Amino acid sequence: MSLATSSGLRAYAAVTAAYWAFMLSDGALRMLVLLHFNGLGFSPVQLAWLFLLYELAGIVTNLSAGWLAARFGLTSTLYAGLGLQIGALGALAMLDPAWSIPASVAFVMAVQGVSGVAKDLAKMSSKSAVKVLAPAGDGLFRWVALLTGSKNAVKGAGFFLGAALLALAGFQAAVWGMAAVLAAILLAVVLWMPEGLPCGVKGTKFASVWSRDPAVIRLSLARMFLFGARDVWFVVGIPVYFQSVLSDGTAEGRREAFFLIGGFMALWIIGYGAVQGMAPRLIRGDAAAQARRWAGWLVPIPFALAALALAAGGPALWLTLTLVAGLLLFGFVFAVNSSLHSYLILAVSKAERVTMDVGFYYMANAAGRLIGTLLSGLSYQWGGLPLCLATAGAMAAGSWLAARRFGGAEQA
């Protein structure tokens, strides 16, 4: 079905709106959890544990989500993702501050696991819908870039929203408020979702989710290392470093730090999304060749930042300013890589198994985030910021090596 049709346009708009709402809550929830529990005295490794089940759930969810969408339809998995996120927010609001740290970690890990399932159901549904609804020709790259770019801009706003809500309203009030807004959006989407998305095919076998296409496998491997390279510094390392630099330890100082950290993380994600949206205008020629080239350009950035952090020997104003500039440059190159990957997975996937190939690809994405999240806490605890950034460089090198092996003709 083409976006040239009215129902296709409305279906694409409805899917995009639902995905925006979800990612706003997802970004806000991540900052709420990270900053709230860092303020309670959780160590970097304990903070990483809070997000591990979230990422682990994505590995399983993306495989099964591709099959579920092929079996029951894309609207069903989209609604399920939104509904589970509402339930996760409601459960998180029940957290008792009197619980011990091990009990709190276990509870939040479980809730984050549900949120991870929700995110990947919504993501797979939205990205697969583009393959079905996009116009012929170069429309696929443009519409993928628009969806992913706008999604990340919205998620970036969510990072700032989460930090602001924590500072102004407190943890529980913020979580309940987000749950209520998301429930209203889910109701609106269910009531007004037009026709245009596949309804599913009975008899689709679960075993078919495993891709045997070398192009899909290699691209998925490059994606795994790419997102590992980001999350190694993004999840724990840089937020905890900035907290140590920006906060004086008082309640007012922590509140100011929340806004500054949330502002930087929001700026990074919004900028990342903006570059993704512009990617079709930045890329000329064969997309696979460009993916290999841009993967190579990412590698030296975290290694250079790691060397500067090691030379500084500790927090310093010049280092903090350099990190901000360097990580924004990392975000620019990372965004082009990510946008190329998102286009290529749809380009090489066949229409009849797009949900399963996309699910397999995002399983690798989730595996990279899981590895990056774990290494973020471990590397920062063991070697501070220099080891954290050097580990990100090693992951970026892995993505480049995998991208070098990616080839094959793109398919419409």
Side-chain angles (χ1 to χ4, degrees):
M1 181 173 222
S2 171
L3 270 177
T5 67
S6 177
S7 62
L9 281 167
R10 292 199 305 273
Y12 180 82
V15 167
T16 302
Y19 196 33
W20 282 353
F22 184 95
M23 296 312 297
L24 184 68
S25 74
D26 187 67
L29 182 58
R30 178 168 286 263
M31 288 306 294
L32 277 168
V33 169
L34 179 66
L35 296 177
H36 177 68
F37 287 98
N38 185 50
L40 294 178
F42 281 37
S43 71
V45 171
Q46 288 169 334
L47 290 171
W49 274 104
L50 295 179
F51 299 104
L52 280 183
L53 196 56
Y54 175 93
E55 306 299 353
L56 182 61
I59 298 175
V60 178
T61 303
N62 278 300
L63 280 177
S64 55
W67 173 78
L68 288 170
R71 175 67 176 77
F72 299 104
L74 286 171
T75 52
S76 298
T77 49
L78 180 62
Y79 298 158
L82 290 169
L84 283 173
Q85 181 77 338
I86 293 165
L89 288 167
L92 194 59
M94 303 295 184
L95 180 69
D96 189 341
W99 291 350
S100 66
I101 286 183
S104 297
V105 168
F107 180 78
V108 176
M109 279 183 66
V111 173
Q112 287 287 89
V114 174
S115 182
V117 172
K119 182 200 72 174
D120 288 301
L121 284 171
K123 176 190 283 187
M124 185 282 306
S125 303
S126 302
K127 295 292 180 71
S128 297
V130 178
K131 176 75 170 183
V132 178
L133 300 170
D138 66 348
L140 181 60
F141 196 3
R142 288 187 290 107
W143 286 111
V144 170
L146 177 62
L147 178 68
T148 55
S150 63
K151 174 268 291 186
N152 283 303
V154 169
K155 185 172 182 177
F159 273 80
F160 182 75
L161 176 65
L165 287 173
L166 182 61
L168 299 175
F171 185 74
Q172 284 192 319
V175 172
W176 277 122
M178 289 196 301
V181 171
L182 200 58
I185 291 170
L186 172 58
L187 179 61
V189 171
V190 171
L191 290 176
W192 288 296
M193 174 68 80
E195 296 180 355
L197 294 178
C199 297
V201 178
K202 293 182 179 180
T204 302
K205 297 186 182 301
F206 184 77
S208 59
V209 300
W210 292 99
S211 178
R212 295 176 177 82
D213 186 334
V216 172
I217 293 170
R218 290 168 185 167
L219 185 60
S220 298
L221 189 62
R223 184 75 170 191
M224 182 186 77
F225 281 111
L226 179 69
F227 271 77
R230 184 198 68 173
D231 281 10
V232 163
W233 63 263
F234 190 83
V235 173
V236 173
I238 286 297
V240 170
Y241 170 80
F242 282 166
Q243 180 85 346
S244 69
V245 170
L246 299 173
S247 174
D248 59 8
T250 65
E252 184 62 29
R254 286 194 299 271
R255 187 175 297 109
E256 290 177 0
F258 289 164
F259 277 104
L260 291 172
I261 296 168
F264 171 76
M265 304 300 272
L267 175 65
W268 194 93
I269 293 287
I270 291 170
Y272 160 51
V275 174
Q276 280 189 308
M278 295 188 301
R281 296 196 295 273
L282 298 173
I283 300 303
R284 294 291 182 270
D286 178 65
Q290 290 292 330
R292 293 190 289 270
R293 183 174 296 114
W294 282 88
W297 290 343
L298 186 67
V299 177
I301 300 172
F303 280 129
L305 293 176
L308 291 173
L310 186 63
L317 178 60
W318 70 265
L319 176 62
T320 301
L321 295 175
T322 303
L323 286 171
V324 170
L327 292 174
L328 289 175
L329 176 61
F330 181 99
F332 180 89
V333 182
F334 175 87
V336 177
N337 275 282
S338 179
S339 189
L340 281 164
H341 290 181
S342 294
Y343 162 68
L344 286 168
I345 188 59
L346 295 179
V348 302
S349 297
K350 295 179 173 61
E352 62 271 16
R353 59 166 290 119
V354 61
T355 62
M356 290 176 284
D357 281 346
V358 169
F360 182 86
Y361 166 81
Y362 279 114
M363 176 206 68
N365 188 104
R369 292 176 61 106
L370 173 67
I371 295 167
T373 297
L374 179 59
L375 290 178
S376 186
L378 290 174
S379 62
Y380 194 86
Q381 183 123 343
W382 290 342
L385 192 61
L387 182 58
C388 188
L389 290 166
T391 305
M395 296 291 281
S399 182
W400 173 65
L401 289 172
R404 287 184 66 193
R405 301 186 62 195
F406 177 79
E410 299 169 33
Q411 300 170 23

